[in-house]
């Protein structure tokens, strides 16, 4: 694989280890050192052997394909409300780089805290009713991602030599249960039917850095992600079999006084596979 992003074996602290107190300290420290190097130099890392199976990922990809290929009027039944975060976001509604036209992509946001009785009045139904299996598959994957994110945050705290390794975990305790907008977002880049209709400077996903703590990112075989290197150049980041990409967000960079880097990324390729 030709990539400037390092790959770290997370088996020593992955989800296959049910009781993390039984993890080998030397193995965990090695992972922490490798993550620190990746996040201070690049801001991105591939994780392998992290504990979520390819079958679990494929279920999410498949149910996402089923949703995004529904007729537009059906998808818009679960459109994101103006005052909410959950739901379908149609093509042209978002622009991650305001200097460009709207991004050529669709998305579906799953933000569990908005399912509360209090907030449901404001944002409405989260899940599409025309695809009953969508909710179960996506919710289970959200929960698995939540667990993995907590493991990664734990190791980041060790890497930063914070006295309490659970420091970041405690700061994220309201994920999935309180006023926290941590979101699982599934993305779709539909075929460009008429290349002549693409506006000048319009791309799939505009240049941006993520604004949160960390992001877990999976690509399908098509890939398309580009990340800015320390020379200010965009480099392709191909999908790596059975690996997830983790990147630092703006909040974590600020939290760590710029020790950990929130890199800029985009998706400029207009081809569809």
């Amino acid at each position: 694989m030709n990539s400037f992003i390092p790959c770290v074996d997370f088996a020593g602290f992955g989800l296959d280890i049910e009781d993390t107190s039984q993890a080998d300290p030397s193995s965990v420290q090695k992972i922490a050192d490798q993550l620190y190097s990746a996040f201070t130099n690049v801001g991105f890392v591939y994780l392998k052997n992290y504990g979520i199976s390819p079958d679990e990922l494929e279920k999410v990809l498949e149910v996402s394909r089923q949703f995004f290929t529904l007729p537009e009027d059906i998808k818009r039944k679960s459109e994101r409300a103006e005052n909410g975060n959950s739901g379908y976001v149609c093509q042209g509604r978002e622009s991650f780089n305001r200097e460009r036209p709207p991004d050529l992509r669709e998305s579906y946001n799953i933000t569990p805290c908005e399912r509360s009785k209090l907030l449901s009045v404001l944002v409405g139904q989260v899940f599409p009713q025309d695809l009953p299996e969508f909710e179960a598959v996506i919710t289970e994957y959200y929960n698995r991602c939540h667990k993995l994110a907590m493991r990664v945050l734990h190791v980041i705290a060790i890497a930063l030599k914070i006295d309490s390794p659970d420091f970041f975990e405690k700061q994220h305790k309201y994920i999935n249960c309180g006023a926290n907008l941590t979101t699982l977002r599934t993305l779709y880049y539909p075929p460009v039917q008429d290349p002549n209709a693409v506006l000048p400077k319009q791309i799939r996903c505009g240049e941006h850095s993520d604004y949160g703590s960390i992001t877990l990112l999976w690509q399908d075989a098509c890939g398309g992600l580009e990340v800015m290197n320390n020379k200010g150049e965009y480099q392709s980041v191909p999908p790596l079999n059975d690996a997830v990409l983790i990147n630092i967000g703006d909040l974590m960079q600020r939290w760590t006084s710029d020790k950990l880097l929130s890199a800029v990324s985009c998706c400029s390729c207009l081809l569809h596979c």
Side-chain angles (χ1 to χ4, degrees), residues 6-25:
C7 182
V8 172
D9 190 334
F10 204 65
F13 208 65
L15 298 183
D16 290 333
I17 300 176
E18 294 187 10
D19 182 359
T20 56
S21 67
Q22 300 302 310
D24 176 52

Side-chain angles (χ1 to χ4, degrees), residues 25 32 41-42 69 90 97 101 135 142 194 199 213 215 243 247:
N41 288 290
V42 183
T69 53
C90 66
N97 182 346
E135 178 174 1
Y142 184 103
D194 181 7
L199 300 174
S213 301
T215 298
N247 65 278

Side-chain angles (χ1 to χ4, degrees), residues 113-138:
C113 73
E114 294 195 324
R115 299 202 312 254
S116 68
K117 291 182 179 179
L118 174 63
L119 291 175
S120 64
V121 177
L122 299 176
V123 302
Q125 175 63 41
V126 175
F127 296 103
Q129 299 303 293
D130 295 273
L131 197 60
E133 61 271 32
F134 189 93
E135 178 174 1
V137 172
I138 292 291

Side-chain angles (χ1 to χ4, degrees), residues 222-237:
C222 295
L225 178 68
E226 300 165 68
V227 173
M228 182 185 289
N229 62 24
N230 55 18
K231 296 179 181 179
E233 303 166 337
Y234 283 96
Q235 289 187 239
S236 176
V237 179

Side-chain angles (χ1 to χ4, degrees), residues 67-68 72 75-81 86-91 93 106-109 126:
F67 172 76
F68 287 118
E72 185 66 18
K75 290 186 286 189
R76 285 184 181 249
K77 288 181 181 180
S78 49
E79 191 167 18
R80 184 181 71 184
S86 300
Y88 172 61
V89 181
C90 66
Q91 182 169 288
R93 186 170 173 182
E106 302 174 22
S107 64
Y108 202 99
N109 298 340
V126 175

Side-chain angles (χ1 to χ4, degrees), residues 170-217:
K170 288 179 178 178
Q171 307 312 311
H172 293 78
K173 64 183 179 181
Y174 291 114
I175 291 177
N176 207 3
C177 64
N180 181 296
L181 293 181
T182 295
T183 298
L184 172 62
R185 163 173 269 210
T186 179
L187 298 171
Y188 176 59
Y189 300 95
V192 176
Q193 303 293 349
D194 181 7
N196 294 322
V198 177
L199 300 174
K201 299 176 64 177
Q202 191 172 32
I203 60 176
R204 292 295 194 176
C205 182
E207 301 88 344
H208 68 284
S209 57
D210 292 343
Y211 48 78
S213 301
I214 61 172
T215 298
L216 283 61
L217 191 157

Side-chain angles (χ1 to χ4, degrees), residues 44-59:
F44 272 76
V45 71
Y46 288 102
L47 283 192
K48 64 179 182 178
N49 299 320
Y50 52 91
I52 296 178
S53 71
D55 287 345
E56 291 176 88
L57 174 59
E58 183 52 39
K59 287 181 181 178

